[in-house]
């Protein structure tokens, strides 16, 4: 897995800050103020040109960048893979289909209203591209019957603009200078974004309730207020409060791993669809509830943990404030976790030969989303959840941190 670096400016004092693409908090070494990125679903970056290109000849071509887990249900089998790739977000731009290595050797930059050059408007939806790209990587060849179900989960889907020189002699790579085509290119007005595409917005990492500094690693999506005991997540330009609970016994040496918990809404499958031993948890009001990891991990383990947590029963506790302990950061947005439910259901329903049929009957909607901190304790190289009898190798978590 590769990771891109992004050159930013501290929103408070303007000092330069280098961010890893998986980080959500900009921590400034100079003024010490931390900001959380709260802009929309896709971060937008550009690769600055290396060649000297006059603004009139500088064109930015958009690429979708995806890093995460891909799952497909093929008959009764679940295929899965880690994916790290990029693909052009416009058709036939006359430039390479993928970003290749260029974005690993170049630092990315924020697109600002003052960014020079023209930006092509992305026309290919990210969903279609993921379907195509990930289908190939999952080993679903062109001749093969397409699987009933494909899901992609992962937090990094960004839009990266790569520079191209548009000259009388055609197109040239704005980084290496390599010629792409010898023909002159005409661009229609409607292909060009009227202004540089929207970029990032930030908020200081302060509790909206009490003004306290919120705690959380730079990769964490959820931030804790250890003063008033509230939990916060960036959503559509602001911080919103997130319900949470603790699960398992209160241990001395606890490491809390975050899981998303949803109720299924009215479209859930009937209880008889599941064998008694692996029925989903029943929530208050006898609604099925599902639990999936709120962190990235190898896809096979993601599936196993989701199944174990969803069909396990156990009790929780509600402390006044966050107990002093190690908290593993929540790095996977809840909508990504929710998208995983059909794959999880396919591994829980009775109809093991044709799970897709059973799963398609479910019309799930995420309801009453909350973050659950599950207590594990450290035993040698493993983390163990004694109430549910779940074990996890610590290395598996460090692998998950890299994507
Ligand atoms: Zn600063
Ligand atoms: Zn607070």
């Amino acid at each position: 897995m590769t990771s891109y670096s992004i050159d930013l400016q501290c929103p408070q004092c303007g000092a330069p800050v280098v961010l890893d693409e998986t980080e959500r908090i900009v921590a400034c070494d100079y003024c010490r103020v931390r900001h959380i990125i709260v802009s929309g679903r896709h971060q937008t970056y550009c690769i600055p040109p290396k060649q000297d290109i006059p603004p009139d000849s500088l064109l930015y071509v958009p690429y979708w960048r995806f890093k995460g887990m891909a799952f497909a249900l093929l008959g009764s089998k679940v295929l899965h893979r880690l994916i790290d790739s990029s693909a052009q977000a416009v058709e036939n731009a006359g430039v390479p289909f993928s970003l290749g290595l260029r974005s690993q050797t170049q630092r990315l930059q924020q697109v600002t209203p003052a960014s020079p050059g023209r930006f092509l408007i992305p026309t290919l939806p990210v969903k279609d591209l993921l379907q195509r790209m990930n289908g190939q990587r999952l080993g679903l060849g062109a001749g093969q019957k397409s699987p009933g179900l494909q899901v992609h989960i992962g937090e990094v889907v960004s839009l990266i603009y790569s520079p191209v020189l548009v000259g009388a002699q055609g197109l040239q790579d704005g980084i290496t200078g390599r010629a792409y085509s010898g023909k002159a290119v005409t661009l229609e007005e409607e292909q060009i974004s009227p202004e540089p595409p929207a970029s990032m917005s930030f908020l200081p990492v302060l509790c909206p309730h009490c003004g306290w500094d919120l705690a959380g690693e730079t990769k964490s999506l959820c931030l804790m207020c250890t003063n008033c005991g509230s939990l916060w997540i960036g959503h559509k330009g602001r911080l919103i409060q997130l319900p949470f609970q603790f699960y398992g016994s209160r241990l001395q040496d606890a490491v809390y791993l975050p899981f998303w918990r949803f109720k299924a809404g009215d479209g859930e499958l009937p209880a008889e669809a599941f064998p008694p031993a692996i029925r989903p948890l029943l929530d208050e009001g006898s609604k099925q509830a599902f639990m999936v990891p709120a962190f990235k991990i190898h896809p096979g383990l993601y599936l196993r943990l989701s199944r174990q947590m969803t069909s396990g029963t156990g009790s929780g506790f509600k402390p006044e404030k966050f107990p002093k302990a190690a908290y593993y950061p929540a790095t996977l947005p809840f909508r990504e976790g929710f998208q995983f439910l059909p794959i999880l259901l396919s591994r829980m329903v009775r109809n093991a030969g044709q799970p897709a049929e059973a799963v398609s009957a479910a019309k799930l909607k995420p309801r009453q989303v909350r973050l659950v901190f599950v207590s594990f304790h450290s035993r040698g190289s493993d983390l163990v959840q004694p109430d549910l009898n779940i074990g996890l190798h610590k290395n598996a978590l460090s692998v998950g941190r890299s994507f």
Side-chain angles (χ1 to χ4, degrees), residues 10 12-15 28 30-32:
C10 167
Q12 179 74 22
C13 74
C28 177
Y30 191 73
C31 71
R32 300 272 155 205

Side-chain angles (χ1 to χ4, degrees), residues 267-285:
E268 64 184 26
L269 292 173
E272 307 79 65
F274 304 94
I278 52 167
R279 269 185 199 155
L281 301 157
L282 287 184
D283 209 331
E284 312 89 47

